[in-house]
């Protein structure tokens, strides 16, 4: 992607060179310690000069920022303005200047590869490098791909004119590991946006970006261990997949593209992928509902996002269950500033409400009230009734109402089906103009009728989410 400066790093005369006594450090001015730097990064000072904007940096643009008071450095595809950090750098200004206006990835890996630079310099982030189209290189030729970039695979999928920007990826290695870095160009990517399956030498990594799916699908050039790690740097939208090599050898290339590699298409156009999970336990929740505990393979990373679901495939007598990739269109952003959250569930339609309820009570600071109206036939059908009642007692923001359509004579609670009368009484705001959001899930007739009634009560589509399988 960029030419690496040819000078040795650290420079032969540098105080950062490792001597027999260990690495020397440059004496820092008073008030320039690590803790002083941390305080500066948390002060709200604009350390990039871009007033919070993130930009794509061309190679030509990067080269112009090569002075001490205007010094940009690229590390692993991300560009930082390190001028504010000059006086805080233990190795001195001269060491940083070795990579001024250039790609310092190899120089950094040689001296500092264990350093968490993303955290140290996150307030100095300018943006990411604008990646030029690469000329395809054949892995079997043994040619090293510059800066780890693999060419775009020749898939027929094209990016729609509307939607998020197309992501890109890069890779780099140490003696014992290989890291695949995915640049999503979106902030607030979370771990549950990433799904990774490693089967033999085949790596399949799918990242969900808004309503699109970005797929990395590669036949790896060398063997790796089945355990790997996934980490996300949310503020820059970067995903790292860290693989552990089976042999400590240098890889000439990452591997060969497989089906739909490097594709970026609407999520609705992607098929479901399944992985084989072991059934660990099962327990009765009600007379006709069971809770199954499944263990993912060690070579899989999968977290079901809030408000999403998976499909299961199994043989009736087997101990293994195939679990699909997550499905759903629920957006957490709908909950960010909610003050009153109303949940309407019927029967097993309560299932998605569990994570929505947990997320709202633990993560939504604006929340004042959560109410659940839970419709069932009989008392025996109420899933986790005891747990819900305990939660209502523990957290005064939460309240639940049970409604039965076929109650016993001893039932003193509400009864019937979803109706204007029940909803009008239930949907009482904590304040007259409070921000509200409503979730509804159950059998299709229940959900359709509930949404119609909510519209009749003047709730808008933006205030309603109906869960569907």
């Amino acid at each position: 992607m960029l030419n690496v400066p040819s000078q040795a790093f650290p420079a032969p005369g540098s105080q950062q060179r490792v001597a027999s006594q260990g690495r020397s450090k440059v004496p820092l001015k008073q008030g320039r310690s690590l803790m002083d730097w941390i305080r500066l990064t948390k002060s709200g000072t604009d350390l990039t000069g871009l007033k919070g904007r993130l930009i794509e940096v061309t190679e030509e643009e990067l080269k112009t920022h090569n002075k001490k008071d205007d010094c940009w450095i690229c590390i692993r595809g991300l560009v930082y303005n390190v001028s504010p950090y000059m006086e805080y750098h233990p190795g001195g200004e001269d060491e940083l200047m070795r990579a001024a206006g250039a790609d310092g990835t190899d120089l950094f890996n040689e001296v500092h590869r264990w350093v968490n630079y993303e955290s140290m310099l996150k307030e100095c982030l300018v943006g990411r490098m604008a990646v030029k189209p690469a000329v395809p290189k054949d892995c079997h030729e043994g040619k090293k791909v510059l800066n780890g970039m693999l060419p775009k695979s020749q898939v027929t999928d094209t990016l729609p004119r509307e939607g998020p920007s197309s992501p890109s990826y890069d890779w780099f290695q140490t003696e014992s590991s290989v890291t695949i870095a995915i640049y999503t160009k979106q902030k607030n990517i979370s771990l549950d946006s990433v799904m990774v399956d490693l089967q033999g030498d085949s790596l399949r990594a799918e990242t969900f970006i808004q309503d699109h799916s970005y797929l990395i699908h590669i036949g790896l050039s060398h063997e790796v261990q089945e355990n790997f790690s996934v980490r996300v740097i949310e503020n820059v939208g970067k995903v790292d997949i860290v693989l552990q090599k089976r042999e400590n050898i240098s890889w000439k290339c990452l591997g060969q593209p497989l089906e739909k590699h490097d594709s970026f298409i609407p999520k609705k156009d992607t098929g479901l992928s399944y992985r084989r999970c072991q059934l660990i336990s099962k327990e009765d929740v009600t007379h006709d509902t069971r809770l199954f505990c499944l263990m993912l393979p060690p070579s899989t990373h999968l977290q079901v996002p809030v408000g999403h679901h998976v499909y299961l495939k199994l043989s009736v007598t087997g101990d293994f269950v195939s679990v699909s990739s997550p499905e759903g269109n629920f957006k957490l952003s709908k909950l960010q500033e909610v003050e009153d959250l109303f949940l309407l569930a019927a029967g097993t339609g309560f299932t998605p409400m569990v994570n929505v309820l947990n997320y709202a009570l633990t993560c939504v600071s604006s929340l004042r009230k959560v109410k659940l109206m839970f419709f069932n036939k009989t008392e025996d059908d109420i899933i986790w009734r005891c747990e819900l009642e305990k939660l209502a007692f523990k957290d005064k923001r939460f309240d639940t109402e049970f409604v039965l359509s076929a109650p016993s004579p001893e039932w003193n609670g509400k009864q019937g089906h979803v109706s204007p009368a029940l909803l009008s009484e239930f949907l009482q705001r904590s304040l007259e103009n409070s921000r509200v959001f409503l979730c509804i899930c159950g059998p299709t007739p229940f959900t359709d009728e509930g949404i119609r009634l909510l519209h009749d009560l003047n709730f808008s589509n933006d205030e309603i989410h109906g869960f569907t399988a």
Side-chain angles (χ1 to χ4, degrees):
M1 189 162 65
L2 294 173
N3 292 323
V4 177
S6 58
Q7 302 99 323
F9 185 83
S14 167
Q15 296 187 48
Q16 200 174 353
R17 275 280 173 185
V18 177
S20 56
Q21 296 84 6
R23 175 175 287 128
S24 299
K25 294 185 178 181
V26 172
L28 299 175
K29 298 178 183 178
Q30 187 174 1
R32 297 296 186 269
S33 68
L34 173 60
M35 291 307 300
D36 292 317
W37 173 250
I38 293 174
R39 278 191 286 269
L40 177 61
T41 62
K42 294 182 181 297
S43 68
T45 303
D46 179 14
L47 300 181
T48 66
L50 297 176
K51 299 180 179 180
R53 292 184 299 120
L54 292 178
I55 64 174
E56 283 203 353
V57 183
T58 64
E59 183 176 348
E60 292 73 22
E61 171 74 7
L62 180 63
K63 288 178 180 179
T64 65
H65 299 274
N66 58 0
K67 305 176 183 64
K68 285 187 178 181
D69 61 350
D70 181 22
C71 181
W72 291 9
I73 294 176
C74 174
I75 305 176
R76 297 172 186 166
L78 299 179
V79 180
Y80 299 90
N81 180 358
V82 299
S83 298
Y85 184 58
M86 285 284 181
E87 294 186 347
Y88 297 84
H89 185 231
E93 298 177 358
D94 291 342
E95 293 308 319
L96 287 178
M97 291 302 298
R98 295 291 176 183
D103 189 331
T105 301
D106 285 354
L107 309 183
F108 177 86
N109 287 343
E110 182 181 341
V111 181
H112 293 307
R113 64 174 178 243
W114 58 87
V115 174
N116 186 356
Y117 69 95
E118 290 158 328
S119 175
M120 184 79 70
L121 298 177
K122 65 180 180 180
E123 298 303 326
C124 299
L125 181 68
V126 171
R128 63 176 304 280
M129 288 302 299
V131 181
K132 296 179 179 179
V135 178
K137 299 179 185 290
D138 188 348
C139 178
H140 297 295
E141 293 176 358
K143 297 179 181 178
K144 187 173 180 63
V145 180
L146 184 60
N147 201 34
M149 287 301 298
L150 282 177
K152 291 274 185 179
S153 62
Q154 298 185 4
V155 279
T156 57
D157 304 304
T158 58
L159 179 67
R161 292 184 179 180
E162 296 183 0
S165 300
S166 179
S168 61
Y169 78 99
D170 196 354
W171 71 280
F172 58 92
Q173 61 182 303
T174 66
E175 183 181 5
S176 59
S177 68
V178 170
T179 299
I180 300 171
I182 300 172
Y183 306 104
T184 69
K185 303 181 184 178
Q186 299 286 324
K187 289 189 175 183
N188 301 321
I189 293 293
S190 58
L191 276 174
D192 60 18
S193 302
V194 185
M195 185 175 60
V196 183
D197 292 289
L198 180 63
Q199 297 180 350
D201 63 353
S202 172
L203 176 74
R204 188 183 191 279
E206 189 171 7
T207 305
F208 302 117
I209 303 168
Q210 296 182 24
D211 295 324
H212 287 67
S213 167
Y214 179 61
L215 181 65
I216 299 292
H217 196 193
I218 293 177
L220 299 172
S221 61
H222 294 78
E223 291 186 348
V224 294
Q225 300 178 34
E226 63 180 8
N227 292 315
F228 58 86
S229 62
V230 180
R231 60 183 181 228
V232 171
I233 300 89
E234 293 187 18
N235 63 323
V236 298
K238 179 168 173 279
V239 178
D240 282 340
I241 302 169
V242 184
L243 309 173
Q244 302 300 320
K245 297 178 179 178
R246 284 199 180 273
E247 296 182 83
N248 295 342
I249 58 175
S250 178
W251 291 19
K252 299 293 185 182
C253 69
L254 183 58
Q256 290 294 319
L258 299 178
E259 183 183 8
K260 294 187 177 180
H261 170 64
D262 208 9
S263 62
F264 186 52
I265 59 177
K267 190 178 176 185
K268 62 182 178 62
D269 296 334
T270 64
L272 290 176
S273 61
Y274 285 81
R275 67 276 313 141
R276 194 165 177 256
C277 302
Q278 186 174 0
L279 178 63
I280 301 300
S281 66
K282 57 184 177 182
E283 62 178 273
D284 293 333
V285 177
T286 68
H287 66 96
D288 62 356
T289 307
R290 287 182 175 180
L291 177 66
F292 292 85
C293 180
L294 305 174
M295 183 173 66
L296 288 168
S299 53
T300 291
H301 167 86
L302 183 151
Q303 296 180 359
V304 181
V306 174
H308 289 58
H309 59 275
V310 296
Y311 295 99
L312 306 180
K313 294 194 302 188
L314 70 159
S315 57
V316 176
T317 58
D319 290 331
F320 288 87
V321 179
S322 294
V323 178
S324 78
S325 47
E327 283 282 287
N329 57 3
F330 183 82
K331 292 179 173 60
L332 277 181
S333 58
K334 294 287 188 180
L335 300 178
Q336 293 309 315
E337 297 182 353
V338 165
E339 295 170 306
D340 295 334
L341 176 62
F342 298 101
L343 309 176
L344 299 169
T348 53
F350 169 69
T351 306
M353 305 303 180
V354 177
N355 280 341
V356 172
L357 180 60
N358 179 65
Y359 178 85
L361 291 174
T362 56
C363 301
V364 181
S365 58
S366 58
L367 192 71
R368 283 198 291 265
K369 179 169 67 174
V370 186
K371 293 184 69 176
L372 168 68
M373 180 170 276
F374 196 1
F375 293 81
N376 287 279
K377 288 184 179 180
T378 70
E379 285 187 77
D380 291 339
D381 296 322
I382 301 175
I383 300 173
W384 281 336
R385 178 180 182 179
C386 182
E387 286 79 2
L388 289 170
E389 290 174 338
K390 286 180 180 178
L391 179 60
F393 179 79
K394 179 181 178 181
D395 194 321
K396 299 306 179 185
R397 295 174 297 170
F398 174 63
D399 187 28
T400 184
E401 297 180 7
F402 303 114
V403 183
L404 303 182
S405 59
S408 66
E410 293 78 22
W411 176 250
N412 295 319
K414 294 181 178 180
Q415 51 186 290
H417 299 275
V418 62
S419 67
L422 282 174
L423 293 183
S424 297
E425 182 182 350
F426 175 68
L427 299 172
Q428 297 296 317
R429 301 173 186 249
S430 58
L431 294 175
E432 183 179 353
N433 295 316
S434 62
R435 294 184 295 271
V436 302
F437 193 66
L438 305 100
C439 297
I440 182 168
C441 187
T444 300
F446 169 85
T447 302
D448 291 345
E449 177 65 8
I451 291 177
R452 186 187 68 79
L453 293 175
L454 292 174
H455 285 152
D456 290 344
L457 292 170
N458 296 320
F459 290 99
S460 68
N461 284 331
D462 287 340
E463 296 173 318
I464 304 170
H465 181 84
F467 289 100
T468 56

